[in-house]
Coordinates of all heavy atoms in Angstrom, one line a residue:
M92 N 5.6 -2.2 -53.5 CA 6.4 -2.5 -52.3 C 7.5 -1.4 -52.2 O 8.1 -1.3 -51.1 CB 7.1 -3.8 -52.5 CG 6.1 -5.0 -52.3 SD 5.4 -4.8 -50.6 CE 5.0 -6.4 -50.3
K93 N 7.7 -0.6 -53.1 CA 8.8 0.5 -53.1 C 8.5 1.5 -51.9 O 9.4 2.0 -51.3 CB 8.9 1.2 -54.4 CG 9.9 2.3 -54.3 CD 9.9 3.1 -55.7 CE 10.9 4.2 -55.6 NZ 10.4 5.4 -55.6
D94 N 7.2 1.7 -51.6 CA 6.9 2.6 -50.6 C 7.1 2.2 -49.1 O 6.9 2.9 -48.2 CB 5.4 3.1 -50.7 CG 5.2 3.8 -52.1 OD1 6.2 4.4 -52.5 OD2 4.1 3.8 -52.6
I95 N 7.3 0.9 -49.0 CA 7.4 0.3 -47.6 C 8.9 0.4 -47.2 O 9.8 0.1 -48.0 CB 7.0 -1.1 -47.6 CG1 5.4 -1.2 -47.9 CG2 7.2 -1.8 -46.2 CD1 4.9 -2.6 -48.0
L96 N 9.1 1.0 -46.0 CA 10.5 1.1 -45.5 C 11.1 -0.3 -45.1 O 10.4 -1.1 -44.5 CB 10.5 2.0 -44.3 CG 10.2 3.4 -44.5 CD1 10.2 4.1 -43.2 CD2 11.3 4.1 -45.4
P97 N 12.3 -0.6 -45.4 CA 12.9 -1.9 -45.0 C 13.1 -1.9 -43.5 O 13.3 -0.9 -42.8 CB 14.2 -1.9 -45.7 CG 14.5 -0.5 -46.1 CD 13.2 0.2 -46.2
I98 N 13.0 -3.1 -42.9 CA 13.2 -3.2 -41.4 C 14.6 -2.8 -41.1 O 15.5 -3.1 -41.8 CB 12.9 -4.7 -41.0 CG1 11.4 -5.1 -41.3 CG2 13.3 -4.9 -39.6 CD1 11.1 -6.5 -41.0
G99 N 14.7 -2.0 -40.0 CA 16.0 -1.6 -39.6 C 16.4 -0.3 -40.2 O 17.5 0.3 -39.9
N100 N 15.6 0.3 -41.1 CA 15.9 1.6 -41.7 C 15.8 2.7 -40.6 O 14.7 2.9 -40.1 CB 15.0 1.9 -42.9 CG 15.5 3.2 -43.6 OD1 16.3 3.9 -43.2 ND2 14.9 3.3 -44.8
P101 N 16.8 3.4 -40.2 CA 16.8 4.3 -39.0 C 16.0 5.6 -39.3 O 15.7 6.4 -38.4 CB 18.2 4.6 -38.7 CG 18.9 4.4 -40.0 CD 18.2 3.3 -40.8
T102 N 15.8 6.0 -40.6 CA 15.2 7.3 -40.9 C 14.0 7.1 -41.9 O 14.0 6.1 -42.6 CB 16.2 8.3 -41.4 OG1 16.7 7.8 -42.6 CG2 17.3 8.6 -40.4
L103 N 13.1 8.0 -41.8 CA 12.0 8.0 -42.8 C 12.5 8.9 -44.0 O 13.2 9.9 -43.8 CB 10.7 8.6 -42.2 CG 10.1 7.8 -41.1 CD1 9.0 8.5 -40.4 CD2 9.7 6.4 -41.6
P104 N 12.0 8.6 -45.2 CA 12.5 9.3 -46.4 C 11.7 10.6 -46.6 O 11.1 10.8 -47.6 CB 12.2 8.3 -47.5 CG 11.0 7.6 -47.0 CD 11.2 7.4 -45.5
F105 N 11.8 11.5 -45.6 CA 11.1 12.8 -45.8 C 11.6 13.6 -47.0 O 10.8 14.3 -47.6 CB 11.3 13.7 -44.5 CG 10.7 13.1 -43.3 CD1 11.5 12.8 -42.2 CD2 9.3 12.9 -43.2 CE1 10.9 12.2 -41.0 CE2 8.8 12.3 -42.1 CZ 9.5 12.0 -41.0
S106 N 12.8 13.5 -47.3 CA 13.3 14.3 -48.5 C 12.7 13.9 -49.8 O 12.8 14.5 -50.8 CB 14.9 14.2 -48.5 OG 15.3 12.8 -48.7
E107 N 12.1 12.7 -49.8 CA 11.4 12.3 -51.0 C 10.0 12.9 -51.2 O 9.4 12.7 -52.2 CB 11.3 10.7 -51.1 CG 12.7 10.1 -51.1 CD 12.7 8.6 -51.2 OE1 11.6 8.0 -51.5 OE2 13.7 8.0 -50.8
L108 N 9.5 13.5 -50.1 CA 8.2 14.1 -50.2 C 8.3 15.4 -51.0 O 9.2 16.2 -50.9 CB 7.6 14.4 -48.8 CG 7.2 13.3 -47.9 CD1 6.9 13.8 -46.5 CD2 6.1 12.5 -48.5
E109 N 7.2 15.7 -51.8 CA 7.1 17.0 -52.4 C 6.9 18.0 -51.3 O 6.4 17.7 -50.2 CB 5.9 17.1 -53.3 CG 6.0 16.1 -54.5 CD 4.7 16.0 -55.2 OE1 3.7 16.7 -55.0 OE2 4.6 15.1 -56.1
S110 N 7.3 19.3 -51.5 CA 7.3 20.3 -50.5 C 5.9 20.5 -49.9 O 5.8 20.5 -48.6 CB 7.8 21.6 -51.0 OG 7.0 22.1 -52.0
Q111 N 4.9 20.5 -50.7 CA 3.5 20.7 -50.1 C 3.1 19.5 -49.3 O 2.4 19.7 -48.2 CB 2.5 20.9 -51.3 CG 1.1 21.4 -50.7 CD 0.2 21.9 -51.8 OE1 0.4 21.7 -52.9 NE2 -0.8 22.6 -51.3
K112 N 3.5 18.3 -49.7 CA 3.1 17.1 -48.8 C 3.9 17.1 -47.5 O 3.4 16.7 -46.5 CB 3.4 15.8 -49.6 CG 2.4 15.6 -50.7 CD 2.6 14.3 -51.5 CE 1.6 14.1 -52.5 NZ 1.7 12.9 -53.2
F113 N 5.1 17.6 -47.5 CA 5.9 17.8 -46.3 C 5.2 18.8 -45.4 O 5.1 18.6 -44.2 CB 7.3 18.1 -46.6 CG 8.2 18.3 -45.3 CD1 8.6 17.1 -44.6 CD2 8.5 19.5 -44.8 CE1 9.3 17.2 -43.5 CE2 9.3 19.6 -43.7 CZ 9.7 18.5 -43.0
E114 N 4.8 19.9 -46.0 CA 4.1 20.9 -45.2 C 2.8 20.4 -44.6 O 2.5 20.6 -43.4 CB 3.7 22.1 -46.1 CG 4.9 22.9 -46.5 CD 4.7 23.9 -47.6 OE1 3.4 24.2 -47.9 OE2 5.6 24.5 -48.2
I115 N 2.0 19.6 -45.3 CA 0.8 18.9 -44.8 C 1.2 18.0 -43.7 O 0.5 18.0 -42.7 CB 0.0 18.2 -45.9 CG1 -0.5 19.3 -46.9 CG2 -1.1 17.4 -45.4 CD1 -1.1 18.8 -48.2
L116 N 2.2 17.2 -43.8 CA 2.7 16.3 -42.8 C 3.0 17.1 -41.5 O 2.5 16.7 -40.4 CB 3.9 15.5 -43.2 CG 4.5 14.7 -42.1 CD1 3.7 13.6 -41.6 CD2 5.9 14.1 -42.6
C117 N 3.7 18.2 -41.7 CA 4.0 19.0 -40.5 C 2.8 19.6 -39.8 O 2.7 19.7 -38.6 CB 5.0 20.1 -40.9 SG 6.6 19.6 -41.4
T118 N 1.8 20.0 -40.7 CA 0.6 20.5 -40.1 C -0.1 19.5 -39.3 O -0.6 19.8 -38.2 CB -0.3 21.0 -41.3 OG1 0.4 22.0 -42.1 CG2 -1.6 21.6 -40.8
E119 N -0.2 18.3 -39.8 CA -0.9 17.2 -39.2 C -0.3 16.8 -37.8 O -0.9 16.5 -36.8 CB -1.0 16.0 -40.1 CG -2.0 16.2 -41.2 CD -3.4 16.6 -40.8 OE1 -4.0 16.1 -39.8 OE2 -4.0 17.6 -41.5
I120 N 1.1 16.9 -37.8 CA 1.8 16.6 -36.6 C 1.5 17.7 -35.6 O 1.2 17.4 -34.4 CB 3.3 16.6 -36.9 CG1 3.7 15.3 -37.6 CG2 4.1 16.6 -35.5 CD1 5.1 15.2 -38.2
L121 N 1.5 19.0 -35.9 CA 1.2 20.0 -35.0 C -0.3 20.0 -34.6 O -0.6 20.3 -33.4 CB 1.5 21.4 -35.7 CG 2.9 21.8 -35.8 CD1 3.1 23.0 -36.7 CD2 3.6 21.9 -34.5
K122 N -1.2 19.6 -35.4 CA -2.6 19.4 -35.0 C -2.7 18.4 -33.9 O -3.7 18.5 -33.0 CB -3.5 19.0 -36.2 CG -3.8 20.1 -37.1 CD -4.6 19.7 -38.3 CE -5.0 20.8 -39.2 NZ -5.9 20.4 -40.3
R123 N -1.9 17.4 -33.9 CA -2.0 16.4 -32.8 C -1.2 16.7 -31.6 O -1.2 16.0 -30.6 CB -1.5 15.0 -33.4 CG -2.5 14.5 -34.4 CD -2.0 13.5 -35.4 NE -2.9 12.8 -36.2 CZ -3.5 13.4 -37.3 NH1 -3.3 14.7 -37.5 NH2 -4.4 12.8 -38.0
D124 N -0.4 17.8 -31.6 CA 0.4 18.2 -30.5 C -0.6 19.0 -29.6 O -1.1 20.1 -30.0 CB 1.5 19.1 -30.9 CG 2.5 19.4 -29.8 OD1 2.0 19.7 -28.6 OD2 3.7 19.6 -30.0
P125 N -0.8 18.6 -28.3 CA -1.7 19.4 -27.4 C -1.2 20.8 -27.1 O -2.0 21.5 -26.5 CB -1.8 18.4 -26.2 CG -0.6 17.6 -26.2 CD -0.2 17.4 -27.7
T126 N 0.0 21.1 -27.4 CA 0.5 22.4 -27.1 C -0.1 23.5 -28.0 O -0.2 24.7 -27.6 CB 2.1 22.4 -27.4 OG1 2.6 21.4 -26.7 CG2 2.7 23.7 -26.9
F127 N -0.6 23.1 -29.2 CA -1.1 24.0 -30.2 C -2.6 23.9 -30.4 O -3.2 22.8 -30.3 CB -0.4 23.8 -31.5 CG 1.1 24.0 -31.4 CD1 2.0 22.9 -31.4 CD2 1.7 25.3 -31.4 CE1 3.4 23.1 -31.3 CE2 3.1 25.5 -31.3 CZ 3.9 24.3 -31.2
I128 N -3.2 25.0 -30.9 CA -4.6 25.1 -31.3 C -4.7 25.9 -32.6 O -3.7 26.6 -32.9 CB -5.5 25.7 -30.2 CG1 -5.1 27.1 -29.9 CG2 -5.6 24.8 -29.0 CD1 -6.1 27.9 -29.0
D129 N -5.8 25.8 -33.3 CA -6.0 26.6 -34.5 C -4.8 26.5 -35.5 O -4.3 27.4 -36.0 CB -6.2 28.0 -34.2 CG -7.5 28.2 -33.3 OD1 -8.5 27.4 -33.5 OD2 -7.6 29.2 -32.6
V130 N -4.4 25.2 -35.7 CA -3.3 25.0 -36.7 C -3.8 25.0 -38.1 O -4.8 24.3 -38.4 CB -2.6 23.6 -36.4 CG1 -1.5 23.4 -37.3 CG2 -2.1 23.6 -34.9
H131 N -3.2 25.8 -39.0 CA -3.7 25.9 -40.4 C -2.5 25.9 -41.3 O -1.5 26.6 -41.1 CB -4.5 27.2 -40.6 CG -5.7 27.3 -39.7 ND1 -6.9 26.6 -40.0 CD2 -5.9 27.9 -38.6 CE1 -7.8 26.9 -39.0 NE2 -7.2 27.7 -38.2
H132 N -2.6 25.1 -42.4 CA -1.7 25.1 -43.5 C -2.0 26.2 -44.4 O -3.1 26.4 -44.8 CB -1.7 23.7 -44.2 CG -0.8 23.6 -45.4 ND1 -1.2 23.2 -46.6 CD2 0.6 23.9 -45.4 CE1 -0.2 23.2 -47.4 NE2 0.9 23.6 -46.8
I133 N -1.0 27.0 -44.7 CA -1.1 28.2 -45.6 C -0.8 27.7 -47.0 O 0.3 27.3 -47.3 CB -0.2 29.4 -45.2 CG1 -0.4 29.7 -43.7 CG2 -0.5 30.6 -46.1 CD1 -1.9 30.2 -43.4
L134 N -1.8 27.7 -47.9 CA -1.5 27.3 -49.3 C -0.8 28.4 -50.0 O -1.2 29.6 -50.0 CB -2.8 27.0 -50.0 CG -3.7 25.9 -49.4 CD1 -5.0 25.7 -50.1 CD2 -2.9 24.6 -49.4
G135 N 0.4 28.1 -50.5 CA 1.2 29.2 -51.1 C 1.6 29.0 -52.5 O 2.2 29.9 -53.1
K136 N 1.3 27.9 -53.1 CA 1.7 27.7 -54.5 C 0.9 28.6 -55.4 O -0.3 28.5 -55.5 CB 1.5 26.2 -54.9 CG 2.3 25.7 -56.0 CD 2.2 24.2 -56.2 CE 3.4 23.8 -57.0 NZ 3.6 22.4 -57.0
G137 N 1.7 29.5 -56.0 CA 1.1 30.5 -56.9 C 0.5 31.8 -56.1 O 0.0 32.6 -56.7
R138 N 0.7 31.7 -54.8 CA 0.2 32.9 -54.0 C 1.3 33.4 -53.1 O 2.1 32.6 -52.6 CB -1.0 32.5 -53.1 CG -2.2 32.0 -53.8 CD -3.2 31.6 -52.7 NE -4.4 31.0 -53.4 CZ -4.9 29.8 -53.0 NH1 -4.4 29.2 -52.0 NH2 -5.9 29.3 -53.7
P139 N 1.4 34.7 -52.9 CA 2.4 35.2 -52.0 C 2.1 34.8 -50.6 O 0.9 34.9 -50.1 CB 2.4 36.7 -52.2 CG 1.1 37.0 -52.7 CD 0.7 35.8 -53.5
Q140 N 3.0 34.2 -49.8 CA 2.8 33.8 -48.4 C 3.8 34.2 -47.5 O 3.8 34.0 -46.3 CB 2.6 32.3 -48.4 CG 3.8 31.5 -49.0 CD 4.0 30.1 -48.5 OE1 3.7 29.9 -47.4 NE2 4.3 29.2 -49.4
G141 N 4.9 34.9 -48.0 CA 5.9 35.5 -47.1 C 6.7 34.4 -46.4 O 7.3 34.7 -45.4
G142 N 6.8 33.2 -46.9 CA 7.5 32.2 -46.3 C 6.8 31.4 -45.2 O 7.3 30.5 -44.7
I143 N 5.6 31.8 -44.9 CA 4.8 31.2 -43.9 C 4.1 29.9 -44.5 O 3.4 30.1 -45.4 CB 3.8 32.1 -43.2 CG1 4.5 33.3 -42.6 CG2 2.9 31.4 -42.2 CD1 3.5 34.4 -42.2
D144 N 4.3 28.8 -43.9 CA 3.7 27.6 -44.3 C 2.5 27.1 -43.4 O 1.5 26.5 -43.8 CB 4.7 26.4 -44.4 CG 5.8 26.8 -45.4 OD1 5.5 27.2 -46.5 OD2 7.0 26.5 -45.1
I145 N 2.7 27.4 -42.1 CA 1.7 27.0 -41.1 C 1.5 28.2 -40.1 O 2.5 28.8 -39.8 CB 2.2 25.7 -40.3 CG1 2.4 24.6 -41.3 CG2 1.1 25.3 -39.3 CD1 3.1 23.4 -40.6
C146 N 0.3 28.4 -39.7 CA 0.1 29.3 -38.6 C -0.7 28.5 -37.5 O -1.4 27.6 -37.8 CB -0.6 30.6 -39.0 SG -2.3 30.3 -39.6
A147 N -0.4 29.0 -36.3 CA -1.1 28.3 -35.1 C -1.0 29.2 -33.9 O -0.4 30.3 -34.0 CB -0.3 26.9 -34.9
K148 N -1.6 28.7 -32.9 CA -1.6 29.4 -31.6 C -1.2 28.5 -30.6 O -1.5 27.3 -30.6 CB -2.9 30.0 -31.2 CG -3.4 31.1 -32.1 CD -4.8 31.6 -31.6 CE -5.4 32.7 -32.5 NZ -6.7 33.1 -32.0
Y149 N -0.4 28.9 -29.6 CA -0.1 28.1 -28.4 C -1.4 28.0 -27.6 O -2.2 29.0 -27.5 CB 0.9 28.7 -27.5 CG 2.3 28.4 -28.0 CD1 3.1 29.5 -28.6 CD2 2.9 27.2 -28.0 CE1 4.4 29.3 -29.1 CE2 4.2 26.9 -28.5 CZ 4.9 28.0 -29.0 OH 6.2 27.8 -29.5
K150 N -1.7 26.8 -27.1 CA -2.9 26.6 -26.3 C -3.1 27.6 -25.2 O -4.2 28.1 -25.0 CB -3.0 25.1 -25.8 CG -4.3 24.7 -25.2 CD -4.3 23.3 -24.8 CE -5.7 22.9 -24.4 NZ -5.7 21.5 -24.1
D151 N -2.0 27.9 -24.5 CA -2.1 28.9 -23.4 C -2.1 30.3 -23.9 O -2.1 31.2 -23.1 CB -1.0 28.6 -22.3 CG 0.3 28.9 -22.8 OD1 0.5 29.3 -24.0 OD2 1.3 28.6 -22.1
E152 N -2.0 30.5 -25.2 CA -2.0 31.8 -25.9 C -0.9 32.7 -25.3 O -1.0 34.0 -25.3 CB -3.3 32.4 -25.8 CG -4.4 31.6 -26.5 CD -5.6 32.4 -26.9 OE1 -5.5 33.6 -27.1 OE2 -6.6 31.8 -27.1
S153 N 0.2 32.2 -24.9 CA 1.3 33.0 -24.3 C 2.0 33.8 -25.4 O 2.6 34.8 -25.1 CB 2.3 32.1 -23.6 OG 2.8 31.1 -24.5
F154 N 1.9 33.4 -26.6 CA 2.6 34.1 -27.7 C 1.6 34.6 -28.8 O 2.1 35.2 -29.8 CB 3.7 33.3 -28.4 CG 4.8 33.0 -27.5 CD1 4.9 31.7 -26.9 CD2 5.8 33.9 -27.3 CE1 6.0 31.5 -26.0 CE2 6.9 33.6 -26.4 CZ 7.0 32.4 -25.8
G155 N 0.3 34.4 -28.7 CA -0.5 34.8 -29.7 C -0.3 33.9 -30.9 O 0.0 32.7 -30.9
L156 N -0.5 34.5 -32.1 CA -0.4 33.7 -33.4 C 1.1 33.5 -33.7 O 1.9 34.4 -33.6 CB -1.1 34.5 -34.5 CG -1.2 33.8 -35.9 CD1 -2.1 32.6 -35.7 CD2 -1.7 34.8 -36.9
I157 N 1.4 32.3 -34.1 CA 2.8 32.0 -34.5 C 2.9 31.6 -35.9 O 1.9 31.0 -36.4 CB 3.5 30.9 -33.6 CG1 2.7 29.6 -33.6 CG2 3.6 31.4 -32.1 CD1 3.4 28.4 -33.0
A158 N 4.0 31.9 -36.6 CA 4.2 31.5 -38.0 C 5.3 30.5 -38.1 O 6.3 30.6 -37.4 CB 4.5 32.7 -38.8
I159 N 5.1 29.5 -38.9 CA 6.0 28.4 -39.1 C 6.4 28.2 -40.5 O 5.5 28.2 -41.4 CB 5.4 27.0 -38.5 CG1 5.1 27.3 -37.1 CG2 6.4 25.9 -38.7 CD1 4.1 26.2 -36.5
E160 N 7.7 28.1 -40.8 CA 8.2 27.8 -42.2 C 8.7 26.4 -42.1 O 9.7 26.1 -41.3 CB 9.2 28.8 -42.6 CG 9.7 28.6 -44.0 CD 10.6 29.7 -44.6 OE1 11.0 30.6 -43.8 OE2 10.9 29.6 -45.8
C161 N 8.3 25.6 -43.0 CA 8.7 24.2 -43.1 C 9.9 24.1 -44.0 O 10.0 24.6 -45.1 CB 7.6 23.3 -43.6 SG 6.1 23.3 -42.6
K162 N 10.9 23.3 -43.6 CA 12.1 23.0 -44.4 C 12.4 21.5 -44.4 O 12.5 20.9 -43.3 CB 13.4 23.8 -43.9 CG 13.3 25.3 -44.0 CD 13.3 25.7 -45.4 CE 13.3 27.2 -45.6 NZ 13.1 27.6 -47.0
C163 N 12.5 20.9 -45.5 CA 12.8 19.5 -45.6 C 14.1 19.3 -46.4 O 14.1 19.0 -47.6 CB 11.6 18.8 -46.3 SG 11.9 17.0 -46.3
W164 N 15.2 19.6 -45.7 CA 16.5 19.5 -46.3 C 17.3 18.4 -45.6 O 17.2 18.2 -44.4 CB 17.3 20.8 -46.3 CG 16.6 21.9 -47.0 CD1 15.6 21.8 -47.9 CD2 16.9 23.3 -47.0 NE1 15.3 23.0 -48.4 CE2 16.1 24.0 -47.8 CE3 17.9 24.0 -46.2 CZ2 16.1 25.3 -48.0 CZ3 17.9 25.4 -46.4 CH2 17.1 26.0 -47.3
K165 N 18.1 17.7 -46.3 CA 19.0 16.6 -45.7 C 20.0 17.3 -44.8 O 20.2 16.8 -43.7 CB 19.7 15.8 -46.8 CG 18.8 14.8 -47.5 CD 19.5 13.9 -48.4 CE 18.6 12.9 -49.0 NZ 19.3 11.9 -49.8
K166 N 20.6 18.4 -45.2 CA 21.6 19.1 -44.4 C 21.2 20.5 -44.3 O 20.8 21.1 -45.2 CB 22.9 19.0 -45.0 CG 23.5 17.6 -45.0 CD 24.9 17.5 -45.5 CE 25.4 16.1 -45.5 NZ 26.8 16.0 -45.9
Y167 N 21.2 21.1 -43.1 CA 20.8 22.4 -42.8 C 21.7 23.0 -41.8 O 21.6 22.7 -40.6 CB 19.3 22.4 -42.4 CG 18.6 23.7 -42.5 CD1 18.4 24.3 -43.7 CD2 18.2 24.4 -41.4 CE1 17.7 25.5 -43.8 CE2 17.5 25.6 -41.5 CZ 17.3 26.2 -42.7 OH 16.6 27.3 -42.9
N168 N 22.7 23.8 -42.2 CA 23.6 24.3 -41.2 C 23.2 25.6 -40.6 O 22.2 26.2 -41.0 CB 25.1 24.4 -41.9 CG 25.1 25.4 -43.0 OD1 24.5 26.5 -42.9 ND2 25.8 25.0 -44.0
S169 N 24.0 26.1 -39.7 CA 23.7 27.3 -38.9 C 23.6 28.6 -39.8 O 22.8 29.5 -39.6 CB 24.6 27.6 -37.8 OG 25.9 27.7 -38.2
T170 N 24.4 28.6 -40.8 CA 24.4 29.7 -41.8 C 23.1 29.8 -42.6 O 22.5 30.8 -42.8 CB 25.7 29.7 -42.8 OG1 26.8 29.6 -42.0 CG2 25.7 30.8 -43.7
E171 N 22.7 28.6 -43.0 CA 21.4 28.5 -43.8 C 20.3 28.9 -42.9 O 19.3 29.6 -43.3 CB 21.3 27.1 -44.3 CG 22.2 26.8 -45.5 CD 22.3 25.3 -45.9 OE1 22.2 24.5 -44.9 OE2 22.3 25.0 -47.0
L172 N 20.3 28.4 -41.6 CA 19.3 28.8 -40.7 C 19.2 30.3 -40.5 O 18.2 31.0 -40.5 CB 19.5 28.1 -39.3 CG 18.5 28.5 -38.2 CD1 17.1 28.2 -38.6 CD2 18.8 27.8 -36.9
K173 N 20.4 30.9 -40.3 CA 20.4 32.4 -40.1 C 19.9 33.1 -41.3 O 19.1 34.1 -41.2 CB 21.9 32.8 -39.9 CG 22.0 34.3 -39.5 CD 23.5 34.6 -39.2 CE 23.7 36.1 -39.0 NZ 25.0 36.4 -38.7
D174 N 20.3 32.7 -42.5 CA 19.8 33.3 -43.8 C 18.3 33.2 -43.9 O 17.6 34.1 -44.3 CB 20.5 32.6 -45.0 CG 22.0 33.0 -45.1 OD1 22.4 33.9 -44.4 OD2 22.7 32.3 -45.8
T175 N 17.8 32.0 -43.6 CA 16.3 31.8 -43.6 C 15.6 32.7 -42.7 O 14.6 33.3 -43.0 CB 16.0 30.3 -43.4 OG1 16.6 29.5 -44.3 CG2 14.5 30.1 -43.4
L176 N 16.1 32.8 -41.4 CA 15.5 33.7 -40.4 C 15.5 35.2 -40.9 O 14.5 35.9 -40.7 CB 16.1 33.5 -39.1 CG 15.9 32.2 -38.4 CD1 16.7 32.0 -37.2 CD2 14.4 32.0 -38.1
N177 N 16.6 35.6 -41.4 CA 16.7 37.0 -41.9 C 15.8 37.2 -43.0 O 15.1 38.3 -43.1 CB 18.2 37.3 -42.3 CG 19.1 37.4 -41.1 OD1 18.7 37.8 -40.0 ND2 20.4 37.1 -41.3
K178 N 15.7 36.3 -43.9 CA 14.7 36.5 -45.1 C 13.3 36.6 -44.5 O 12.5 37.4 -45.0 CB 14.9 35.3 -46.0 CG 13.9 35.3 -47.2 CD 14.1 34.1 -48.1 CE 12.9 34.1 -49.1 NZ 12.8 32.8 -49.7
F179 N 12.9 35.7 -43.6 CA 11.6 35.6 -43.0 C 11.2 37.0 -42.3 O 10.2 37.5 -42.5 CB 11.5 34.5 -42.1 CG 10.1 34.4 -41.5 CD1 9.1 33.8 -42.2 CD2 9.8 34.8 -40.2 CE1 7.8 33.7 -41.7 CE2 8.6 34.7 -39.7 CZ 7.5 34.1 -40.4
I180 N 12.2 37.5 -41.6 CA 12.0 38.7 -40.8 C 11.8 39.9 -41.8 O 11.0 40.8 -41.5 CB 13.2 39.0 -39.9 CG1 13.1 37.9 -38.7 CG2 13.2 40.4 -39.3 CD1 14.4 37.9 -37.9
K181 N 12.6 39.9 -42.9 CA 12.5 41.0 -43.9 C 11.1 41.0 -44.6 O 10.6 42.1 -45.0 CB 13.6 40.9 -44.9 CG 15.0 41.3 -44.3 CD 16.0 41.2 -45.4 CE 17.4 41.5 -44.7 NZ 18.5 41.3 -45.7
E182 N 10.6 39.8 -44.7 CA 9.3 39.8 -45.5 C 8.2 40.1 -44.5 O 7.2 40.6 -44.7 CB 9.1 38.4 -46.1 CG 10.0 38.2 -47.2 CD 9.8 36.8 -47.8 OE1 8.8 36.1 -47.5 OE2 10.6 36.4 -48.7

């Protein structure tokens, strides 16, 4: 019964997911979004992936291939976002 959320709980316990399971959840959500096509989870454990967790294309192909990095943090401020983006761009 531990895995069932109590009634009235306003949030899901995403922070309790292992990182790869959170990435798979994000991949599945994007696969169900009609905005995207060709959504793929990039397996990175033990392999260099440059911070990319998911790649996809917009259905209208206005941007070509896009790269997505999943983050499952309870708090994520603007400085951390900037640092993550800079790291991603450098790789």
Side-chain angles (χ1 to χ4, degrees):
M92 287 300 206
K93 179 180 179 252
D94 295 333
I95 298 174
L96 292 174
I98 295 174
N100 190 347
T102 60
L103 296 173
F105 294 119
S106 61
E107 294 178 21
L108 290 174
E109 297 170 7
S110 61
Q111 190 168 16
K112 288 183 179 180
F113 180 73
E114 292 169 10
I115 292 169
L116 172 66
C117 292
T118 302
E119 292 303 317
I120 290 169
L121 288 172
K122 283 181 177 180
R123 286 161 176 74
D124 185 328
T126 309
F127 300 101
I128 59 171
D129 298 331
V130 178
H131 300 281
H132 178 229
I133 307 298
L134 299 176
K136 204 167 198 170
R138 299 182 187 128
Q140 55 159 318
I143 299 171
D144 298 316
I145 303 170
C146 64
K148 293 180 182 177
Y149 281 107
K150 188 173 185 177
D151 65 5
E152 298 199 25
S153 57
F154 292 101
L156 188 64
I157 59 171
I159 300 160
E160 182 174 10
C161 301
K162 293 291 183 192
C163 185
W164 296 349
K165 285 187 178 186
K166 294 184 179 183
Y167 199 64
N168 63 38
S169 59
T170 302
E171 291 169 318
L172 176 60
K173 184 178 178 181
D174 291 345
T175 299
L176 291 172
N177 286 333
K178 179 184 170 193
F179 182 79
I180 291 168
K181 287 178 184 177
E182 291 182 9

